[in-house]
Amino acid sequence: MLSKPLIITPNRILLSVPHMSGAELRWVQEAFATNWLSTVGPNLTELEKCFQKTLGQHTVALSSGTAGLHLALRLVGVQPGDEVVTQSLTFVASANPILYEHARPILIDSERTTWNLDPELLEKFLKLRARVNRLPKAVILVHLFGQPGAIEQITTICRNYGVALIEDAAESLGSRYHGRHPGTFGDVGVFSFNGNKMITGTTGGILISSDAQKANCARHWSTQARDADPSGINNYLHTERGYNYRMSNVIAGIVRGQLDVLPSRVIQRRSVFERYRNALAGIPGLEPQPDAPWATPGPESGSMPDNPSYHSRWLSCFLIDEAQFGCSAPDLIRWLHLANVEARPVWRPMHLQPLFSSAERIGGEVAEDLNARGICLPSSSSLTLEDQAFVIARIHEAHSSGISSKSMSQKKRAN
Ligand SMILES: *Cc1c(COP(=O)(O)O)cnc(C)c1O
């Protein structure tokens, strides 16, 4: 077991780091030069315009993706005591906003195909609930690691039962599903610009909706919900509960500078994954996260199909079969840590969290297996060939020497 605090040395190879384009500083400097240093300004306007144009949806720039998910729940009418379905296998930020609204999470297992919300379990659950007239208020579909979930099935199911669909697309900016961006299929979609995501503003998020009224409402709530005041002197009038969730114009400048490189970041991350896949292909018991059955050749292939579907490979994920590989996923994570390489497990399911111990759960075996056997390898778009070769060599070593928790202390390498 890892007991000492992690020492981050300068040479540590990290999981996913910010990768600036160089254009960000220009927009940040312009914000300073023109004194647009609040939650209003040209960077914000430009960022929203750009997303609106690319995604064909109304957009609201926010302080974080989590803030976006919180507003999304309110936009679809979630009230205290309502039930909200989400996939158990996700980062806690998908589920925390359910608690903010004092709603009740229902945690459904993942499917093996995409690692995301299992459409069959969802349909069975909604069918049962429709019979007793107790449908949940909303479903949150997460597109984990850049892999779009079973969007077509899930949008149809939600439509059939009249349940709102929120897409947590925080990890999937840059992916495609039949030519469209995941996040644009539900009633509301949310992206994140957290420091470890595909592109970053150091922090930040964006909410999108095809419904202008929803977007306007989110913008209103995100700035403390101050109403127009008939007195003409803006005499602080508030009817609804609001938040301080708006993005700052400085952060918007950073994200703005990242927008142009988004396509190349996707190609770079997909190339990182491809190199792992090729270099590790011969190792038994080490299996890459599969492409969904509908995946087409990706953007790096040169000739893109008209309606491409592809995984952005935000993170390069693998599954380990301990018996064949020679050690478990946690052992490999510890082994890489000793070599100054950061790898992480696939998310710990929400139904295993003390925080959600009283939540209703539907299945969970797939999520548990993916968490127990999954490993996310360093996936930065800026990862050098040399560093990646180092990671790959350590994995080959772990396999051939059959490390385990017990033997690890003897095999500790000097950093
Ligand atoms: C990062 C992330 C979020 C939250 O985004 P923040 O901008 O960090 O608040 C939500 N859901 C998932 C699945 C994420 O990975």
Side-chain angles (χ1 to χ4, degrees):
M1 278 285 286
L2 207 60
S3 53
K4 292 201 189 103
L6 300 186
I7 297 160
I8 313 282
T9 72
N11 297 327
R12 189 165 166 82
I13 302 173
L14 296 167
L15 184 78
S16 179
V17 298
H19 187 183
M20 293 295 114
S21 70
E24 298 85 2
L25 261 184
R26 180 187 154 196
W27 302 119
V28 171
Q29 270 163 348
E30 195 169 289
F32 275 73
T34 53
N35 211 33
W36 285 111
L37 298 171
S38 69
T39 51
V40 188
N43 287 333
L44 266 171
T45 312
E46 203 45 49
L47 176 64
E48 289 183 345
K49 224 164 73 187
C50 195
F51 263 82
Q52 190 140 354
K53 204 170 126 216
T54 321
L55 304 179
Q57 302 239 330
H58 304 279
T59 68
V60 187
L62 299 168
S63 54
S64 71
T66 311
L69 289 166
H70 185 193
L71 295 179
L73 289 174
R74 281 198 58 201
L75 286 174
V76 302
V78 170
Q79 307 250 339
D82 282 345
E83 291 180 315
V84 176
V85 168
T86 192
Q87 63 197 58
S88 187
L89 188 79
T90 187
F91 178 48
V92 72
S94 311
N96 267 335
I98 303 173
L99 303 183
Y100 301 169
E101 283 306 305
H102 304 283
R104 300 215 308 269
I106 308 240
L107 306 170
I108 295 191
D109 204 0
S110 286
E111 54 168 358
R112 292 252 170 221
T113 331
T114 66
W115 296 12
N116 294 312
L117 188 63
D118 184 327
E120 281 174 28
L121 289 181
L122 175 68
E123 184 157 36
K124 259 191 227 155
F125 174 72
L126 294 185
K127 200 174 193 173
L128 278 174
R129 281 309 185 76
R131 262 191 227 140
V132 294
N133 205 15
R134 260 188 66 205
L135 281 168
K137 200 58 173 258
V139 169
I140 303 174
L141 167 63
V142 193
H143 307 296
L144 283 182
F145 304 119
Q147 170 84 288
I151 295 176
E152 214 166 78
Q153 281 166 283
I154 288 169
T155 46
T156 308
I157 295 166
C158 286
R159 204 177 308 122
N160 287 347
Y161 286 94
V163 177
L165 177 63
I166 295 167
E167 286 179 271
D168 177 350
E171 299 182 3
S172 68
L173 186 60
S175 300
R176 291 294 185 285
Y177 183 83
H178 301 317
R180 277 170 64 185
H181 296 254
T184 61
F185 293 83
D187 296 276
V188 186
V190 173
F191 296 102
S192 163
F193 306 118
N194 175 311
N196 69 10
K197 296 284 164 38
M198 185 63 81
I199 58 170
T200 183
T202 66
T203 181
I206 212 157
L207 177 146
I208 62 168
S209 178
S210 54
D211 178 352
Q213 216 173 338
K214 280 198 175 64
N216 288 336
C217 196
R219 187 173 291 109
H220 179 61
W221 288 339
S222 76
T223 49
Q224 307 286 15
R226 188 206 280 204
D227 293 339
D229 169 28
S231 73
I233 59 162
N234 235 331
N235 193 9
Y236 306 102
L237 179 65
H238 302 275
T239 315
E240 291 180 289
R241 177 160 41 115
Y243 310 88
N244 182 5
Y245 277 174
R246 191 74 166 133
M247 183 185 276
S248 107
N249 188 59
V250 176
I251 300 293
I254 304 177
V255 182
R256 191 178 171 188
Q258 291 256 281
L259 285 182
D260 285 346
V261 292
L262 174 60
S264 58
R265 296 295 178 258
V266 173
I267 291 176
Q268 286 157 342
R269 294 217 182 218
R270 283 176 55 88
S271 306
V272 166
F273 171 77
E274 223 28 66
R275 286 196 293 271
Y276 281 128
R277 172 145 70 185
N278 293 336
L280 302 170
I283 304 183
L286 188 65
E287 168 200 341
Q289 180 185 19
D291 268 314
W294 53 79
T296 57
E300 70 279 45
S301 70
S303 63
M304 280 264 268
D306 283 341
N307 288 306
S309 291
Y310 55 85
H311 188 322
S312 67
R313 301 291 174 186
W314 169 59
L315 292 186
S316 288
C317 307
F318 287 77
L319 288 179
I320 289 183
D321 177 331
E322 182 175 357
Q324 289 182 58
F325 181 74
C327 76
S328 67
D331 285 338
L332 181 58
I333 291 169
R334 286 184 205 104
W335 170 258
L336 290 171
H337 167 69
L338 292 176
N340 219 5
V341 172
E342 183 188 31
R344 291 196 195 169
V346 162
W347 301 119
R348 186 198 290 252
M350 292 306 114
H351 72 265
L352 299 182
Q353 305 288 358
L355 177 63
F356 294 103
S357 57
S358 58
E360 182 170 344
R361 56 179 274 196
I362 316 288
E365 299 73 21
V366 174
E368 283 175 32
D369 180 59
L370 295 173
N371 171 244
R373 296 201 297 118
I375 179 169
C376 307
L377 296 175
S379 306
S380 302
S381 45
S382 56
L383 183 66
T384 61
L385 291 177
E386 198 185 0
D387 280 354
Q388 192 172 2
F390 180 80
V391 176
I392 289 165
R394 299 292 78 73
I395 297 172
H396 276 282
E397 247 168 41
H399 165 63
S400 55
S401 60
I403 53 142
S404 67
S405 320
K406 271 179 240 110
S407 65
M408 191 114 31
S409 50
Q410 287 111 55
K411 293 197 190 262
K412 182 169 173 140
R413 300 170 72 249
N415 287 332

